[in-house]
Amino acid sequence: MDKLTDDIPGCYYNRTVQFFYEHSGKNISAHWRPRDYVVVSLGMGVSVIVILANILVMVAIFINRRFHFPIYYLLGNLAAADLFSGIAYLHLMFHTGPWTIKLSKNQWFVRQTLIDSSLTASVLNLLAIALERHQTIFTMQLHSKMTNRRVVLLIAAIWGLAIFMGLVPTMGWHCVCDLDNCSTMAPMYQRSYLVFWAVLNLFTFSLMVAAYTRIFVYVRHKSQRMSQHTSQIRHKETVFNLMKTVSMILGCFVICWTPGLVLLMLDGLGCESCQVLRYEKYCLVLAECNSLVNPIIYSFRDTDMLQTFKRILCCLCRSGGAGHRDALSGMRCNTLEQERERDVLQRQDLNESG
């Protein structure tokens, strides 16, 4: 993107990032203000917490055999997307404020690509989870019969498409050669790209909300017709609780990201009276907090996940070095023993109902 040759007529390849910001009206101070220190410090702190929390979720899914099913693999991949978001935001904190005007155009596009790719990965993961739940819930199964190979291929496709979508502006959908159509919030992105990006994600949100609403109605209707056998009651409660957890994740994601996407769409449509820059920081903070929400939801909604979190944290507090590895293996043995005990209880329930 950065060129040392003469500009092509109508293009501004040799201009700095500051040139595009000044043209769009998004002025950046060359000096650090108290507000800049507060924003960057809080952003770094939240980003580190997001990274650590989602690593905790991924480790919990890895060590607990009860989570070795397609739905939890997809939830683990969603945690990976949130981890990627935390890294993207941490990178942003080191390249924002007065640092922005010192960036090359390539560095600026890398910064934006990381954020765009992390959002796309999260949206695609939620869409995949919706499809998996649709497949299983309508047969009142707890877990789908999707093979591990298909799950791996699905996860690879999610990340491939997410990276591609993040690179689209870099590959040509920018305003370096169309200065009049530069956006305000992202001064080197075309307004048309912001509209496309916002509408695509908002439409995907609508599809997922509609799908989960349909699933909830079906589950509620189906559960009322199930027999009162102990095993079936427990199965119904487990299915419904998992569905509630996934729906809460989707709901929080929509709440946290919709304001920012609406703001992007208004900017893309050229709404000069909307004062998009006034609300930009708040929407960014809200979107960043979403990456921290999911581990909190797991802690309150999933007892097995909460217990696994506690074991991991106790393991880290009490052990170190080789002792840490022994404690981790012991923790995996504990989860397997619990799984066997629950299997025995389930068989007893089936025998009683039979």
Side-chain angles (χ1 to χ4, degrees), residues 318-331:
R318 297 176 182 176
S319 305
H324 169 72
R325 289 192 295 272
D326 294 339
L328 187 62
S329 62
M331 181 168 54

Side-chain angles (χ1 to χ4, degrees), residues 1-297:
M1 186 62 65
D2 294 294
K3 296 185 178 181
L4 299 178
T5 58
D6 293 335
D7 278 333
I8 301 172
C11 295
Y12 300 87
Y13 289 108
N14 289 329
R15 299 303 181 97
T16 62
V17 170
Q18 185 176 3
F19 167 79
F20 290 93
Y21 271 71
E22 291 175 351
H23 180 271
S24 69
K26 189 176 184 179
N27 298 319
I28 298 177
S29 174
H31 305 286
W32 285 89
R33 299 164 294 182
R35 186 182 67 177
D36 296 325
Y37 285 110
V38 171
V39 170
V40 171
S41 299
L42 287 176
M44 287 182 178
V46 172
S47 297
V48 171
I49 295 173
V50 166
I51 291 171
L52 295 177
N54 284 285
I55 289 176
L56 182 64
V57 173
M58 296 171 66
V59 172
I61 292 174
F62 174 74
I63 66 174
N64 195 332
R65 289 286 298 275
R66 295 187 63 82
F67 300 144
H68 289 187
F69 294 98
I71 180 61
Y72 285 105
Y73 292 148
L74 293 175
L75 289 174
N77 197 43
L78 180 61
D82 288 335
L83 170 64
F84 184 47
S85 296
I87 295 172
Y89 285 122
L90 187 61
H91 179 270
L92 175 65
M93 291 301 103
F94 283 105
H95 298 84
T96 192
W99 284 325
T100 303
I101 59 177
K102 299 179 181 180
L103 299 177
S104 67
K105 287 192 291 296
N106 282 336
Q107 290 173 325
W108 187 90
F109 275 109
V110 168
R111 189 187 78 172
Q112 299 304 121
T113 297
L114 291 174
I115 296 175
D116 294 347
S117 297
S118 65
L119 170 60
T120 304
S122 297
V123 171
L124 292 176
N125 267 295
L126 287 170
L127 185 59
I129 291 170
L131 294 175
E132 193 274 347
R133 287 294 85 190
H134 188 278
Q135 177 189 356
T136 55
I137 294 297
F138 275 81
T139 56
M140 290 305 292
Q141 296 176 347
L142 180 58
H143 300 294
S144 73
K145 297 180 181 179
M146 189 185 305
T147 63
N148 289 340
R149 181 173 179 272
R150 288 186 177 181
V151 174
V152 171
L153 290 175
L154 179 59
I155 291 174
I158 287 172
W159 284 103
L161 187 56
I163 293 172
F164 172 77
M165 290 297 294
L167 290 172
V168 166
T170 308
M171 294 186 291
W173 207 341
H174 52 70
C175 65
V176 176
C177 294
D178 191 8
L179 203 60
D180 292 336
N181 286 319
C182 287
S183 65
T184 303
M185 293 175 63
M188 281 192 284
Y189 279 5
Q190 281 195 16
R191 294 184 185 276
S192 59
Y193 175 75
L194 294 191
V195 174
F196 163 78
W197 180 254
V199 170
L200 179 63
N201 284 287
L202 289 172
F203 177 71
T204 306
F205 289 178
S206 301
L207 289 179
M208 289 188 289
V209 170
Y212 278 106
T213 301
R214 182 169 182 263
I215 292 172
F216 254 121
V217 171
Y218 176 82
V219 169
R220 187 174 295 275
H221 174 72
K222 186 74 174 179
S223 62
Q224 293 174 351
R225 300 172 56 186
M226 295 182 70
S227 69
Q228 298 303 310
H229 288 156
T230 305
S231 60
Q232 290 187 332
I233 292 175
R234 287 184 178 178
H235 179 78
K236 178 187 69 175
E237 291 176 350
T238 304
V239 170
F240 205 61
N241 286 336
L242 182 56
M243 192 64 212
K244 284 183 178 180
T245 301
V246 172
S247 299
M248 287 177 64
I249 293 170
L250 173 64
C252 291
F253 186 86
V254 171
I255 291 171
C256 291
W257 276 101
T258 298
L261 291 173
V262 171
L263 208 63
L264 283 175
M265 185 168 63
L266 293 174
D267 185 19
L269 294 174
C271 181
E272 297 181 359
S273 62
C274 297
Q275 299 181 336
V276 293
L277 294 180
R278 180 179 180 180
Y279 305 102
E280 179 189 16
K281 296 293 184 183
Y282 300 107
C283 291
L284 185 62
V285 171
L286 184 61
E288 182 179 3
C289 289
N290 175 252
S291 298
L292 185 59
V293 167
N294 292 343
I296 297 174
I297 293 176

Side-chain angles (χ1 to χ4, degrees), residues 343-354:
D343 288 341
V344 170
L345 291 175
Q346 288 178 355
R347 292 193 190 99
Q348 291 176 354
D349 291 335
L350 288 173
N351 290 333
E352 291 175 2
S353 62

